[in-house]
Amino acid sequence: MHRTKAILRAALVLYLGAATLTAGAQPGHPARHPAGASSAGERDWWKNAVIYEIYPRSFQDSNGDGIGDLNGITARLDYLKKLGIDAIWLTPCYPSPQVDFGYDISDYKNIDPKYGTLDDFDRLVAEAGKRHIRILMDLVMNHTSDQHPWFLQSRSSRVNPYSDWYMWRDGKGETATDQGAPPNNWESLFGHSAWQWDAATRQYYYHRFYIQQPDLNWNNPKVHDAFKEIISFWLKRGVAGFRFDAVTALYEDPSLADEEILKDKDGQPLVNAYGDPVLNDSKTDNLPSVHVVMQELRAHTDTFSLAAFPGTRVLIGETYLPNVAELAKMYGPAGKPEFHLPMDTQVAFINKLDVAAFRAKLNDVETKIGDNTPLLLFDNHDNPRVQARYGDGVHDLDIQRALAAVLFLSRGAAQFYYGDELGMLTTPPTRKEDVKDPIGITGWPNEKGRDGERTPMQWDASANAGFSRGRPWLPVPPSAAAINVAAESPDPDSLLAWYENVIRLKKTIPAFARGRNTMLDTKNTKVLSWMRKAPGGPPVLVAVNFTAEPQTVSLSVPGFNGKLKTLLKTPGAADPDSLKAIQLGPFGVFVGKILQR
Ligand code: GLC
Ligand code: CA
């Protein structure tokens, strides 16, 4: 089973508002940045944004406790600036019992002491702002920690003012002495029943994720108000937006009817990695009311684009959806916008180098989401890394170059995950007793959990990879000896250098920054080729070989006679001088400008 579909959902990106803030206007807010006031470029920064996901626990430890922290991130901002990113999506760093490593929040308006303080956070925002990097927070609205004061109140009695902030239901067939069965067959995405019996209230509560993550009741208007206040709190601190976590899980069907059990082609019930039946999720996922909440939260967020904070605050969605039609809805109907950037999991998790599938899915976001902007990605902290999902074990470096070309040279915002730029490997635990992510314990050995893609950032070849002077919370894999920043930065043929180059093209060539995508040579099943063109400028072209054999493509672009100027190519490849004969090595990439004459 791919974890991909089963696990995840939402996001939101913030605009620092750095641009026009008077320096020192509010403590912790970034100073005016050199690009100046709210130009169209500033307003639209997110439409061609390069967004870098940091899992704070694993990026850089500054105090030797083996856990990454905010001051560690601040210390590495120059590296990120050189890489060319526009924004950091910071996964949750709020106070948390850390059952789900921060996705179980016990206080939405503070920083977990393991990661630092609010002052450290303000300093991170300010220092990032100086480098023109925006900070986006991760906001978990589907559930809180079971240690959050709201839930402690809620479970304290059935008549508490917070009792209807969560999803409490009676057991089936419950009596004065018997708790009865769970209200229905709904399952947690993290294994087993989604209902947890609570002895004090003598009711069950619903949890889409861990038992320690009770779902909030979004039918209660007070929950909406609480989150609007939380959003305001962080936007006022200068964040540029949010990633909304697990947002498609906000509502459940009020009928509480059982979900259908899915069957294989022989009519046998399908069973997941936890040994539970696989359910259709139509009663627990992507209910229409999600859109109503999104319109409300977007309208609230948009009020912060004015006055003291010009520039767009951006909402990113963790939107695992079945098709482009559902993705299109996440942008909102005319006049009622929702997400700026719901993540496109259609492209991300094709999970095989299938040219036709890539062409079709990339075309979908070019033609089926109106004037909206796609958010492309391959990786995040919940899935095996790109190398594990797309590598062939022989040409992995070239495959990662090829996918980086797809990611950064297609139209839209592009998101990647710390360490992808180095080619960091997924390194799952080999023994159950070493597993940190609870789903890896519940699901062992079918599901080893997400530790493998959360190993410490690899800065250098020293014992702890430059991540920590203490004992890292997850082991540094042996591959860090060769795959690290210190080894790759001076090497012009490294994956890191390739990332810097494709990001530079995305940011500096107008056709890549804003040109539409047009697929070329659309019957070819081995090479994916596309053209980008912005008004007034020359078209640019990308050709990516999706096979392990050399390929030659012959392309034509009406109105152009075929001369090319190379912008970037796989190390060692020849420069084609015409569109008619572009030679590509195994998984080779060619990027060029098409000349008029
Ligand atoms: C999202 C996060 C994931 C987390 C889950 C529950 O899917 O990306 O890491 O476990 O939500 O909050
Ligand atoms: Ca630390």
Side-chain angles (χ1 to χ4, degrees), residues 158-309:
R158 289 200 196 189
V159 294
N160 186 277
Y162 287 88
S163 58
D164 62 347
W165 280 51
Y166 293 85
M167 298 261 303
W168 294 99
R169 294 292 182 277
D170 290 338
K172 234 195 229 163
E174 65 104 40
T175 64
T177 51
D178 187 333
Q179 66 189 63
N184 59 30
N185 74 344
W186 296 356
E187 287 170 6
S188 162
L189 290 179
F190 288 165
H192 313 326
S193 173
W195 296 98
Q196 177 67 16
W197 170 253
D198 182 72
T201 54
R202 296 199 55 77
Q203 281 193 309
Y204 285 86
Y205 68 84
Y206 178 72
H207 58 92
R208 181 70 168 157
F209 297 93
Y210 292 122
I211 290 168
Q212 298 88 343
Q213 294 170 306
D215 272 48
L216 283 158
N217 173 18
W218 277 85
N219 294 307
N220 182 344
K222 292 191 183 128
V223 170
H224 297 225
D225 292 344
F227 277 94
K228 282 193 251 178
E229 203 193 310
I230 290 162
I231 288 169
S232 302
F233 176 87
W234 292 103
L235 290 179
K236 284 184 197 152
R237 287 199 108 82
V239 303
F242 302 88
R243 169 214 190 237
F244 283 165
D245 180 74
V247 73
T248 62
L250 293 190
Y251 285 93
E252 295 72 33
D253 189 320
S255 76
L256 292 201
D258 278 356
E259 292 277 31
E260 179 200 347
I261 297 176
L262 300 181
K263 309 235 166 71
D264 66 15
K265 51 183 185 331
D266 304 320
Q268 294 306 308
L270 290 167
V271 174
N272 68 20
Y274 309 109
D276 305 323
V278 178
L279 304 179
N280 175 327
D281 57 8
S282 65
K283 300 197 169 55
T284 49
D285 190 54
N286 198 21
L287 271 74
S289 309
V290 169
H291 295 285
V292 181
V293 171
M294 277 314 304
Q295 289 160 24
E296 180 190 355
L297 297 182
R298 169 68 180 267
H300 179 71
T301 303
D302 282 350
T303 63
F304 285 82
S305 302
L306 303 170
F309 293 93

Side-chain angles (χ1 to χ4, degrees), residues 136-155:
L136 309 171
M137 295 291 269
D138 202 325
L139 196 58
V140 184
M141 302 187 290
N142 177 65
H143 49 268
T144 67
S145 161
D146 64 350
Q147 300 307 308
H148 193 291
W150 300 337
F151 189 70
L152 295 177
Q153 294 273 331
S154 189
R155 83 185 329 176

Side-chain angles (χ1 to χ4, degrees), residues 61-69 114:
D61 175 21
S62 71
N63 65 355
D65 65 358
I67 295 174
D69 42 55
K114 287 182 191 63

